[in-house]
Amino acid sequence: MSGYGEAILVMLAINIVVALAGYLPLAAGQLNLGIAGFMAVGGYTSAYLTSAYHLPMGVGMAAGAAAAGLLGLLVAVPVLRTSGIYLALATFALGQVIQAAFLNIEAVGAAAGYPVKPYAGFTVVLSVAFGVLVAVLLLSRTRFALLLTATKNDPLVTELFGVDVRAIRVAAFSLGALIAGIGGALYAHHYSYLEPQNFNIMLSVYIALYVLLGGTQTVAGPIVGAAFFTLLPELLRAGSHWRFVIFAVLIILVMAVRPEGLITGALARRLRFGKRREAAS
Amino acid sequence: MSGAVFAQQLVNGIMLGGIYMLIAVAFTLAIGVLNFLNFSIPGIFMVGAIATWRALENGWPWVGAIAAGLLAAGVASYLVERFTYRWMRGLDHEIPLVSSLGFLILFENLVLIGYGSDQQTFPALMPDFNIRVAGLVIGTGQLISLVLALVLVIAASGLLERTRIGRGIRAVAENADTATILGVEIHRVVPALFILIGLLSGVSGILFAMNYLQVSAFMGHEIGLKGIAAMVIGGMGNIWGAILGGLLIGLIEVLSIAFFGANRADICVYGALLLLLVVRPEGLLGGSAIVREKL
Amino acid sequence: MKRLGTVSAIALLGALAFAPAVQAASELVIGYSMAKTGPYVSLANSNEIAADMAVDEINAKGGVNGRKIKLTKFDTGGNPKDASAAVRRFAVDDKALAIVGPFSSSECRVAFPDGERMGIVQMSMASSAPGLTADMSYAFRNTVDEGKVISDVMETFARKKIPSARAAIAYGTDDAVSKAIGTGVLPKVFEQYKSQVVSTVDFSVKAFDLSPQASQLVQAKPEVIGFGAPPEMAIKLATELQRQGLKARMIAGTTVADPDLPKRMAPAGEGFTIGTTFFRDLNPATKAFSAEFEKRAKAAGLPRTEPSQMDAATYDIVLMYADALAKTKATGDDANLAKERTAIRDHLAKLKNHPMLEGPISFGANRDSIKPIYILEAKQAAWTLIDTHEPK
Amino acid sequence: MLEVENLTVRYGRITALAELDLAVPEGRIVTVLGANGAGKSSLLKALIGLTPIAGGAIRWKGEAIHRRPASERVKAGLALVPEGRRILVSMTVEDNLKVGAYHRDDPAQVAREIDAIYQRFPNLAERRFQKASCLSGGEQQMLAVGRALVSGSSLMMLDEPSLGLSPIIIARLFELLVELNKGGLALLLVEQNTNMALSVAHEGHVLKLGRKIAHGTPQQLLADARLQEAYLGG
């Protein structure tokens, strides 16, 4: 494969991981605008443990994921008292606070950034991303996924069925944070350098866009969304500096034509049904 | 810190708050009435300022240039309504958000292509645009923004409270279906509101350019984020809250810079926002907002 | 079936788009990592003109080793991830011998380790964050140490007896270079020149309101303010200081070396003094370069037509590469690529007082360049040369 | 005055109303009866313009109005008192009434009519500057009717006005409706409270699962087995 192709696939893999991190809470109706913050926690934790204590990269990544997940759990409890747009804004504030905090932590270089020693190459990044994808796919076939949708569509009725809606929400939010931590760790070890400025609000917003543009109803949605945002600017390279203008117009048009996202549940069912039909014939 | 410096810092904070107010009001109108976190507002803010700057560069008189800036901002906001809100009314509140971000990217990149990423110098209205009282320096431009923000908000509040279109807007804010059966023309009220939001953002952008003598493609980012914080702190949907929130954010920012350094300012500002959202999500003046139930 | 067709069409499209660029074997390829989109577009757009100028000049004289030079370009948008993709593309797909760029320090931090793993030289024209090339061997920067530059500014002040007993420091906290200047470089330089630091203020490089910082500076009444941040912030601070009524001379290193700066900050910037590595009216060569650059920039419709320090550095990087290709007799053949790339590195690392547009250039132990520093003062909306420090 | 021909309303694949014919002559009270899901609310929403129609025609004073937006239909003289009242609780009582007169251009006349409503409902007058959320259910219904009145309508459509009200309040409400009708206002009354509705109406239609199954005077309908069937679902 070409060097450029590899580089793009790595970007895509990391973007799919963080898109899945945004997808889980969104499937339960929570817009997390602080995913970049959780990525930063995962990335910095793994980078620090592997660089300062020479732990193996796998251990560092696991610790990064755990740290991000734990922070998610800690903030989910108070933050999930709010809902809808309030939650989106609370997570936005949280992401800003985390970014500002890393600007002040001298142990990881503060504004100067932090070099990351162990290197995660093409194979490592793609394997880990694939693992995350499979895990989320398996999760989506369990009762949990059903509860996420139910929680999103009608929390009151879901509660009446004896489901602890709050626990479902907290779980979705924390799991998303954990996956964001994995994404951040992959970023850290592949790109070998962390700066707080990398984890800004626009990154969080773009991740939310991956999911919303792709569709929040199936796991395929965030994947397609991440691919759209990763590959389209590359395909538009010929357009030189007009490429982001074309890109923006495409976002607006896609949302106008398919406001529920590119991949809706109905479309996914039709595709799956079609596949079965093909297999049968 | 001496008393004189502290007094100057208070003035600085209030003046900065004056800049945040108008943009916070624009956000609060979009959220309060339409339940729409309109991310294109920082872009419209920038469009208003850039258009004014271009007109001035082309030798237009001040009044004409400002009119051009306001027109550009109004048109930009109308476009956002036409291609985001109108097509997606009644869907999840995240969806127009995505398209409004598309517009932010669009506006910024168009300006980037046209005029580059450099900050451009905005001509000064007069050589020393300041008032000096008892050792305090007060920016006239900022003072005008502050007063204008208050006047515009009183006007907007009056418009909402006392006029027919204002009642229509409030009716739509509470329940679009009910407003429809009462004969409110949603297809007119909503675009009108968007144009109002665009004009407020545009005024804010132009005042910003006059005060800080600069325009650039990304000028709306920082102020947009602070504007959102100000809106939430005051209470979403409450225009008086936006005023209070703008002032508070301005003061928190300036005082935290003065006491703890610029590195800590964002922690203070957004930490306050986070704390408020956890403790009192409806905001400081949330009780009397345009509408509460549906958020 | 139909779906299969669609899927394969998309796959084909993707394969086409991401396929390596095919090159003619007769050319020597140099990669150019540039930022045509994103936050650095204005500064980096003009670099491209300088790079093209250098390539055109070399090829007009018959190229190198009997072959033409070919510059393959990749737009990073100022984004570290794209700078990393650029290195891979140049090294693997384009079989480039060396890489011009990347532009910013953030990009270098990610792209340099990649270049190290792939064994290909990169040379940045703008990155000046300290310590970026430590632990590397293929990473070069045609930029100078900010500590040296600012110390030269103070040396000039001492020579010319410009008052600088009371000093203040103003710097950006959320940018690596700015913070290093504010917390590392400036305190040391002021101590060395016996200036008392009476106030230190910091700000975010994204800030637009510097009134709280200016109020603190006004209170401290310094004679000279050491400044570490991008040029935009210099304009903001100078304007705000003038508004609050402080007259003090600001000094800075290469981070603010924008040819248009005095014009953009006028009249607030009067007396602003910087050290830089390029001055357009220095000699016939720089004047000729500037004239040709201006012509091309106008033709390209760029807003700024006067070459900056980064433009001159880019031009010199291409010329240094051409020289290295000639001296190492590079062929660009696949079989010898790795060896030739390393030979280029070894040649460049040994460069001493090599005559270039910017003046004689050498590379130090950490492969950052050592070259003359020109001290410029803003007078009546233009830079004037007040002193030159040749490398020792 | 109002003529409905072949009206069909669909939500996706579900047909809520099929080929309905109906007329409300000037000054008359017409009631539409039926169980839950019979299509009564869909009919009113289609008439006011809240739900698009899938077929048929709606004529108002001889003119086809089914392609016009709701705001124009209100302006032309149609008013709807929706199910559940739909009072704007974030606004004051007075503002609710003023929104009712949204499209009217004669503020002085509107002010007089609002005063008349206050005289009729002293409870509302007492709370004119308070938020409508502080009103009781009965007061809210009066406000909803008042709001429809100030729109200057000549046909008032009411969707289940008696729902959730005490018998005393219901009785007062129907007294009021009869009085308004005597003043010349035509009414289209959708009710589950069959007896109450038929006691005031001039004629009635019975719907079942979106189709009309009976039509006649109250006396005819009360004697008609199909009315029982509509509710018992037999």
Short mmCIF file of all heavy atoms in Angstrom, two decimals, chain A residues 2-4 7 11 103 106 110-112 119 187 190-193 195 197 234-235 237 241 243 271 278, chain C residues 1 3 17-18 20 37 74-75 81-82 84-85 88-89 92-93 106 109-110 117 173-176 179:
data_model
loop_
_atom_site.label_atom_id
_atom_site.label_comp_id
_atom_site.label_asym_id
_atom_site.label_seq_id
_atom_site.Cartn_x
_atom_site.Cartn_y
_atom_site.Cartn_z
N SER A 2 0.31 2.32 -0.55
CA SER A 2 1.09 3.56 -0.60
C SER A 2 1.23 4.17 0.79
O SER A 2 0.41 3.93 1.66
CB SER A 2 0.40 4.55 -1.53
OG SER A 2 -0.65 5.20 -0.85
N GLY A 3 2.29 4.92 0.97
CA GLY A 3 2.52 5.55 2.26
C GLY A 3 1.40 6.50 2.62
O GLY A 3 0.94 6.55 3.77
N TYR A 4 0.93 7.22 1.62
CA TYR A 4 -0.16 8.16 1.82
C TYR A 4 -1.43 7.41 2.20
O TYR A 4 -2.15 7.79 3.13
CB TYR A 4 -0.35 8.96 0.54
CG TYR A 4 -1.54 9.86 0.52
CD1 TYR A 4 -1.70 10.83 1.49
CD2 TYR A 4 -2.48 9.76 -0.48
CE1 TYR A 4 -2.78 11.67 1.46
CE2 TYR A 4 -3.57 10.60 -0.53
CZ TYR A 4 -3.73 11.55 0.44
OH TYR A 4 -4.80 12.38 0.41
N ALA A 7 -1.32 6.40 5.73
CA ALA A 7 -1.53 7.55 6.61
C ALA A 7 -3.02 7.88 6.71
O ALA A 7 -3.54 8.16 7.79
CB ALA A 7 -0.75 8.76 6.12
N MET A 11 -5.64 7.73 10.00
CA MET A 11 -6.54 8.83 10.39
C MET A 11 -7.97 8.32 10.49
O MET A 11 -8.69 8.61 11.44
CB MET A 11 -6.52 9.93 9.33
CG MET A 11 -5.38 10.90 9.44
SD MET A 11 -5.65 12.23 8.23
CE MET A 11 -3.98 12.67 7.88
N LEU A 103 -3.03 22.66 29.82
CA LEU A 103 -2.15 23.79 29.54
C LEU A 103 -1.37 24.20 30.78
O LEU A 103 -0.38 24.93 30.69
CB LEU A 103 -2.98 24.99 29.08
CG LEU A 103 -3.10 25.22 27.58
CD1 LEU A 103 -4.03 26.38 27.31
CD2 LEU A 103 -1.74 25.48 26.95
N GLU A 106 2.63 21.12 34.25
CA GLU A 106 4.01 21.16 33.77
C GLU A 106 4.60 19.76 33.60
O GLU A 106 5.49 19.55 32.78
CB GLU A 106 4.89 21.98 34.73
CG GLU A 106 4.55 23.47 34.79
CD GLU A 106 4.87 24.22 33.50
OE1 GLU A 106 5.69 23.70 32.69
OE2 GLU A 106 4.30 25.30 33.28
N ALA A 110 2.94 21.16 29.74
CA ALA A 110 2.02 22.31 29.61
C ALA A 110 1.91 22.73 28.15
O ALA A 110 1.73 21.88 27.28
CB ALA A 110 2.47 23.45 30.52
N ALA A 111 2.07 24.03 27.88
CA ALA A 111 1.85 24.52 26.52
C ALA A 111 2.89 23.99 25.54
O ALA A 111 2.64 23.89 24.34
CB ALA A 111 1.87 26.05 26.51
N ALA A 112 4.08 23.63 26.05
CA ALA A 112 5.14 23.20 25.16
C ALA A 112 4.85 21.84 24.55
O ALA A 112 5.48 21.44 23.58
CB ALA A 112 6.47 23.17 25.91
N TYR A 119 5.95 3.93 19.87
CA TYR A 119 5.29 4.28 18.62
C TYR A 119 4.29 3.20 18.23
O TYR A 119 4.61 2.01 18.22
CB TYR A 119 6.34 4.43 17.53
CG TYR A 119 5.78 4.70 16.16
CD1 TYR A 119 5.07 5.87 15.90
CD2 TYR A 119 5.94 3.78 15.12
CE1 TYR A 119 4.55 6.13 14.65
CE2 TYR A 119 5.42 4.03 13.85
CZ TYR A 119 4.72 5.21 13.63
OH TYR A 119 4.21 5.46 12.39
N TYR A 187 -3.93 8.25 19.16
CA TYR A 187 -3.41 9.49 18.59
C TYR A 187 -2.01 9.78 19.16
O TYR A 187 -1.06 10.05 18.43
CB TYR A 187 -4.37 10.65 18.90
CG TYR A 187 -3.89 11.98 18.37
CD1 TYR A 187 -4.37 12.45 17.14
CD2 TYR A 187 -2.97 12.76 19.06
CE1 TYR A 187 -3.92 13.65 16.62
CE2 TYR A 187 -2.52 13.96 18.56
CZ TYR A 187 -3.00 14.41 17.34
OH TYR A 187 -2.55 15.60 16.82
N HIS A 190 0.65 7.24 17.94
CA HIS A 190 0.95 7.24 16.50
C HIS A 190 1.64 8.55 16.09
O HIS A 190 2.58 8.55 15.31
CB HIS A 190 -0.30 7.04 15.66
CG HIS A 190 0.01 6.99 14.19
ND1 HIS A 190 0.60 5.91 13.59
CD2 HIS A 190 -0.11 7.92 13.22
CE1 HIS A 190 0.80 6.15 12.31
NE2 HIS A 190 0.39 7.37 12.06
N TYR A 191 1.15 9.66 16.60
CA TYR A 191 1.70 10.95 16.16
C TYR A 191 2.84 11.44 17.04
O TYR A 191 3.42 12.49 16.79
CB TYR A 191 0.58 11.98 16.05
CG TYR A 191 -0.36 11.63 14.91
CD1 TYR A 191 -1.66 11.22 15.14
CD2 TYR A 191 0.08 11.69 13.59
CE1 TYR A 191 -2.50 10.87 14.09
CE2 TYR A 191 -0.76 11.35 12.54
CZ TYR A 191 -2.04 10.94 12.80
OH TYR A 191 -2.86 10.60 11.76
N SER A 192 3.15 10.69 18.10
CA SER A 192 4.35 10.89 18.91
C SER A 192 4.43 12.24 19.61
O SER A 192 5.48 12.60 20.13
CB SER A 192 5.64 10.73 18.06
OG SER A 192 5.59 9.56 17.32
N TYR A 193 3.38 13.02 19.59
CA TYR A 193 3.45 14.31 20.28
C TYR A 193 2.07 14.77 20.70
O TYR A 193 1.12 14.64 19.94
CB TYR A 193 4.09 15.37 19.38
CG TYR A 193 4.75 16.44 20.18
CD1 TYR A 193 6.04 16.27 20.65
CD2 TYR A 193 4.07 17.59 20.54
CE1 TYR A 193 6.64 17.21 21.44
CE2 TYR A 193 4.67 18.55 21.33
CZ TYR A 193 5.96 18.35 21.79
OH TYR A 193 6.55 19.28 22.57
N GLU A 195 -0.15 18.02 22.29
CA GLU A 195 -0.24 19.42 22.68
C GLU A 195 -1.68 19.65 23.14
O GLU A 195 -2.60 19.17 22.50
CB GLU A 195 0.03 20.33 21.49
CG GLU A 195 1.48 20.44 21.09
CD GLU A 195 1.64 21.39 19.91
OE1 GLU A 195 1.50 20.93 18.76
OE2 GLU A 195 1.87 22.58 20.14
N GLN A 197 -3.42 22.10 22.68
CA GLN A 197 -4.14 22.78 21.61
C GLN A 197 -4.78 21.80 20.63
O GLN A 197 -5.73 22.16 19.94
CB GLN A 197 -3.19 23.72 20.83
CG GLN A 197 -2.64 24.87 21.64
CD GLN A 197 -1.35 24.50 22.36
OE1 GLN A 197 -1.19 23.41 22.87
NE2 GLN A 197 -0.41 25.44 22.42
N GLU A 234 -9.84 14.72 1.48
CA GLU A 234 -8.73 14.18 0.69
C GLU A 234 -9.12 14.07 -0.78
O GLU A 234 -8.35 14.43 -1.66
CB GLU A 234 -8.34 12.80 1.23
CG GLU A 234 -7.86 12.80 2.68
CD GLU A 234 -6.62 13.66 2.90
OE1 GLU A 234 -5.78 13.75 1.99
OE2 GLU A 234 -6.50 14.27 3.98
N LEU A 235 -10.36 13.57 -1.02
CA LEU A 235 -10.81 13.46 -2.41
C LEU A 235 -10.92 14.83 -3.06
O LEU A 235 -10.81 14.96 -4.27
CB LEU A 235 -12.16 12.75 -2.46
CG LEU A 235 -12.14 11.27 -2.09
CD1 LEU A 235 -13.54 10.72 -1.93
CD2 LEU A 235 -11.40 10.47 -3.16
N ARG A 237 -8.89 17.25 -2.66
CA ARG A 237 -7.60 17.94 -2.69
C ARG A 237 -7.38 18.68 -4.00
O ARG A 237 -6.76 19.74 -4.02
CB ARG A 237 -6.46 16.93 -2.49
CG ARG A 237 -6.12 16.77 -1.05
CD ARG A 237 -4.84 16.02 -0.82
NE ARG A 237 -4.67 15.85 0.60
CZ ARG A 237 -4.12 16.76 1.40
NH1 ARG A 237 -3.65 17.87 0.90
NH2 ARG A 237 -4.04 16.56 2.68
N HIS A 241 -7.66 25.20 -2.31
CA HIS A 241 -8.21 25.86 -1.13
C HIS A 241 -9.72 25.99 -1.18
O HIS A 241 -10.33 26.41 -0.22
CB HIS A 241 -7.54 27.20 -0.87
CG HIS A 241 -7.46 28.08 -2.06
ND1 HIS A 241 -6.47 27.97 -2.99
CD2 HIS A 241 -8.27 29.06 -2.49
CE1 HIS A 241 -6.64 28.87 -3.93
NE2 HIS A 241 -7.73 29.54 -3.66
N ARG A 243 -11.45 23.42 -1.27
CA ARG A 243 -11.99 22.14 -0.84
C ARG A 243 -12.83 22.23 0.42
O ARG A 243 -13.80 21.50 0.57
CB ARG A 243 -10.87 21.11 -0.69
CG ARG A 243 -9.86 21.36 0.40
CD ARG A 243 -8.72 20.38 0.20
NE ARG A 243 -7.61 20.64 1.07
CZ ARG A 243 -7.17 19.77 1.98
NH1 ARG A 243 -7.78 18.63 2.14
NH2 ARG A 243 -6.14 20.07 2.73
N LEU A 271 -30.67 -2.59 3.57
CA LEU A 271 -29.42 -3.14 3.06
C LEU A 271 -29.25 -4.59 3.54
O LEU A 271 -28.89 -5.47 2.79
CB LEU A 271 -28.23 -2.29 3.52
CG LEU A 271 -28.07 -0.96 2.80
CD1 LEU A 271 -26.90 -0.19 3.38
CD2 LEU A 271 -27.87 -1.16 1.31
N GLU A 278 -30.14 -11.55 -1.55
CA GLU A 278 -29.10 -11.92 -2.51
C GLU A 278 -28.53 -13.28 -2.17
O GLU A 278 -28.32 -14.13 -3.04
CB GLU A 278 -27.98 -10.89 -2.52
CG GLU A 278 -28.12 -9.89 -3.65
CD GLU A 278 -27.15 -8.74 -3.49
OE1 GLU A 278 -26.00 -9.00 -3.08
OE2 GLU A 278 -27.55 -7.60 -3.75
N MET C 1 -26.24 -7.35 -6.86
CA MET C 1 -25.26 -7.18 -7.95
C MET C 1 -24.98 -5.71 -8.16
O MET C 1 -23.85 -5.27 -8.28
CB MET C 1 -25.86 -7.83 -9.21
CG MET C 1 -24.83 -8.53 -10.10
SD MET C 1 -23.50 -9.31 -9.20
CE MET C 1 -22.13 -8.59 -10.04
N ARG C 3 -25.42 -3.38 -6.09
CA ARG C 3 -24.70 -2.80 -4.97
C ARG C 3 -23.21 -3.11 -5.05
O ARG C 3 -22.37 -2.28 -4.78
CB ARG C 3 -25.28 -3.33 -3.66
CG ARG C 3 -24.74 -2.59 -2.45
CD ARG C 3 -25.55 -2.85 -1.21
NE ARG C 3 -26.97 -2.68 -1.46
CZ ARG C 3 -27.82 -3.69 -1.47
NH1 ARG C 3 -27.39 -4.91 -1.23
NH2 ARG C 3 -29.09 -3.48 -1.69
N ALA C 17 -7.78 7.93 -6.15
CA ALA C 17 -7.47 9.17 -5.45
C ALA C 17 -6.24 9.03 -4.58
O ALA C 17 -5.47 9.96 -4.42
CB ALA C 17 -8.66 9.57 -4.60
N PHE C 18 -6.06 7.84 -4.00
CA PHE C 18 -4.96 7.69 -3.06
C PHE C 18 -3.75 6.99 -3.68
O PHE C 18 -2.81 6.63 -3.01
CB PHE C 18 -5.43 6.94 -1.81
CG PHE C 18 -6.55 7.64 -1.12
CD1 PHE C 18 -7.81 7.06 -1.00
CD2 PHE C 18 -6.36 8.92 -0.65
CE1 PHE C 18 -8.84 7.75 -0.38
CE2 PHE C 18 -7.39 9.61 -0.04
CZ PHE C 18 -8.64 9.02 0.10
N PRO C 20 -0.26 6.50 -5.56
CA PRO C 20 0.92 7.35 -5.59
C PRO C 20 1.04 8.11 -6.92
O PRO C 20 0.64 7.60 -7.96
CB PRO C 20 2.08 6.37 -5.43
CG PRO C 20 1.51 5.01 -5.49
CD PRO C 20 0.05 5.08 -5.39
N THR C 37 -4.06 25.73 3.11
CA THR C 37 -5.32 26.02 3.78
C THR C 37 -5.01 26.08 5.27
O THR C 37 -3.90 25.78 5.69
CB THR C 37 -6.36 24.91 3.52
OG1 THR C 37 -5.73 23.65 3.75
CG2 THR C 37 -6.86 24.95 2.10
N PHE C 74 2.39 19.05 -1.08
CA PHE C 74 1.27 18.46 -0.33
C PHE C 74 0.77 19.50 0.65
O PHE C 74 1.53 20.06 1.43
CB PHE C 74 1.73 17.21 0.40
CG PHE C 74 0.60 16.43 1.05
CD1 PHE C 74 -0.06 15.43 0.34
CD2 PHE C 74 0.20 16.71 2.34
CE1 PHE C 74 -1.10 14.72 0.93
CE2 PHE C 74 -0.84 16.00 2.93
CZ PHE C 74 -1.48 15.00 2.22
N ASP C 75 -0.53 19.76 0.60
CA ASP C 75 -1.13 20.76 1.49
C ASP C 75 -1.47 20.12 2.83
O ASP C 75 -2.28 19.21 2.90
CB ASP C 75 -2.39 21.31 0.82
CG ASP C 75 -3.11 22.30 1.70
OD1 ASP C 75 -2.49 22.79 2.66
OD2 ASP C 75 -4.28 22.59 1.43
N LYS C 81 -1.44 16.05 11.72
CA LYS C 81 -1.76 14.74 11.14
C LYS C 81 -1.47 14.73 9.64
O LYS C 81 -0.98 13.75 9.10
CB LYS C 81 -3.23 14.40 11.39
CG LYS C 81 -3.51 14.06 12.83
CD LYS C 81 -4.91 13.50 12.98
CE LYS C 81 -5.91 14.61 13.16
NZ LYS C 81 -7.25 14.12 13.45
N ASP C 82 -1.80 15.84 8.98
CA ASP C 82 -1.56 15.91 7.54
C ASP C 82 -0.06 16.04 7.24
O ASP C 82 0.42 15.54 6.22
CB ASP C 82 -2.32 17.08 6.93
CG ASP C 82 -3.80 16.78 6.82
OD1 ASP C 82 -4.15 15.91 6.03
OD2 ASP C 82 -4.58 17.40 7.56
N SER C 84 2.17 14.56 8.90
CA SER C 84 2.64 13.19 9.01
C SER C 84 2.32 12.42 7.72
O SER C 84 3.16 11.68 7.19
CB SER C 84 1.96 12.53 10.23
OG SER C 84 2.11 11.15 10.20
N ALA C 85 1.10 12.61 7.20
CA ALA C 85 0.73 11.96 5.94
C ALA C 85 1.64 12.43 4.81
O ALA C 85 2.02 11.64 3.94
CB ALA C 85 -0.73 12.26 5.61
N ARG C 88 4.95 10.54 4.78
CA ARG C 88 4.78 9.20 4.24
C ARG C 88 4.65 9.23 2.72
O ARG C 88 5.20 8.41 2.01
CB ARG C 88 3.52 8.57 4.83
CG ARG C 88 3.78 7.92 6.15
CD ARG C 88 2.50 7.78 6.93
NE ARG C 88 2.75 8.17 8.30
CZ ARG C 88 3.11 7.31 9.24
NH1 ARG C 88 3.22 6.04 8.95
NH2 ARG C 88 3.38 7.72 10.45
N ARG C 89 3.86 10.19 2.25
CA ARG C 89 3.65 10.26 0.81
C ARG C 89 4.96 10.57 0.09
O ARG C 89 5.31 9.91 -0.89
CB ARG C 89 2.62 11.33 0.49
CG ARG C 89 2.43 11.47 -0.99
CD ARG C 89 1.30 12.42 -1.31
NE ARG C 89 1.02 12.34 -2.72
CZ ARG C 89 -0.15 12.56 -3.25
NH1 ARG C 89 -1.16 12.84 -2.48
NH2 ARG C 89 -0.32 12.48 -4.55
N VAL C 92 7.50 7.40 0.74
CA VAL C 92 7.15 6.09 0.20
C VAL C 92 6.69 6.20 -1.26
O VAL C 92 7.16 5.48 -2.12
CB VAL C 92 6.04 5.43 1.04
CG1 VAL C 92 5.68 4.06 0.48
CG2 VAL C 92 6.50 5.31 2.49
N ASP C 93 5.75 7.10 -1.53
CA ASP C 93 5.11 7.12 -2.84
C ASP C 93 5.90 7.92 -3.87
O ASP C 93 6.05 7.50 -5.01
CB ASP C 93 3.70 7.71 -2.74
CG ASP C 93 2.89 7.07 -1.63
OD1 ASP C 93 3.28 5.97 -1.19
OD2 ASP C 93 1.89 7.66 -1.20
N SER C 106 4.16 22.74 15.53
CA SER C 106 3.25 21.63 15.82
C SER C 106 3.37 20.55 14.76
O SER C 106 3.35 19.36 15.06
CB SER C 106 1.80 22.12 15.85
OG SER C 106 1.63 23.01 16.89
N ARG C 109 6.73 18.64 15.14
CA ARG C 109 6.78 17.70 16.26
C ARG C 109 6.28 16.33 15.85
O ARG C 109 6.72 15.33 16.37
CB ARG C 109 5.89 18.22 17.39
CG ARG C 109 6.35 19.55 17.89
CD ARG C 109 6.09 19.65 19.36
NE ARG C 109 7.30 19.90 20.06
CZ ARG C 109 7.55 21.02 20.73
NH1 ARG C 109 6.68 21.98 20.72
NH2 ARG C 109 8.67 21.16 21.38
N VAL C 110 5.29 16.28 14.95
CA VAL C 110 4.74 15.02 14.52
C VAL C 110 5.51 14.48 13.31
O VAL C 110 5.78 13.29 13.21
CB VAL C 110 3.25 15.20 14.21
CG1 VAL C 110 2.69 13.97 13.52
CG2 VAL C 110 2.49 15.49 15.49
N ARG C 117 12.00 7.85 11.42
CA ARG C 117 11.74 6.43 11.19
C ARG C 117 11.96 6.05 9.74
O ARG C 117 12.34 4.93 9.43
CB ARG C 117 10.30 6.10 11.61
CG ARG C 117 10.11 5.97 13.10
CD ARG C 117 8.72 5.51 13.46
NE ARG C 117 7.75 6.59 13.39
CZ ARG C 117 7.43 7.38 14.43
NH1 ARG C 117 8.00 7.19 15.59
NH2 ARG C 117 6.55 8.33 14.29
N THR C 173 0.85 32.25 26.65
CA THR C 173 1.07 31.07 27.49
C THR C 173 0.67 29.77 26.82
O THR C 173 1.07 28.71 27.25
CB THR C 173 0.23 31.13 28.78
OG1 THR C 173 -1.13 31.13 28.40
CG2 THR C 173 0.55 32.32 29.60
N ASP C 174 -0.18 29.83 25.79
CA ASP C 174 -0.69 28.58 25.25
C ASP C 174 -0.08 28.25 23.89
O ASP C 174 -0.69 27.59 23.07
CB ASP C 174 -2.22 28.62 25.18
CG ASP C 174 -2.75 29.87 24.53
OD1 ASP C 174 -1.94 30.78 24.24
OD2 ASP C 174 -3.96 29.96 24.30
N ASP C 175 1.12 28.76 23.66
CA ASP C 175 1.83 28.43 22.44
C ASP C 175 3.27 28.13 22.85
O ASP C 175 3.87 28.89 23.61
CB ASP C 175 1.75 29.63 21.48
CG ASP C 175 2.71 29.50 20.32
OD1 ASP C 175 2.47 28.63 19.48
OD2 ASP C 175 3.71 30.24 20.28
N ALA C 176 3.79 27.01 22.37
CA ALA C 176 5.07 26.53 22.87
C ALA C 176 6.19 27.56 22.69
O ALA C 176 6.93 27.85 23.63
CB ALA C 176 5.44 25.23 22.17
N LYS C 179 5.69 30.72 24.89
CA LYS C 179 5.91 30.48 26.31
C LYS C 179 7.39 30.30 26.61
O LYS C 179 7.90 30.79 27.63
CB LYS C 179 5.12 29.25 26.76
CG LYS C 179 5.07 29.16 28.27
CD LYS C 179 4.23 28.02 28.74
CE LYS C 179 4.30 27.93 30.26
NZ LYS C 179 3.69 26.70 30.76
#
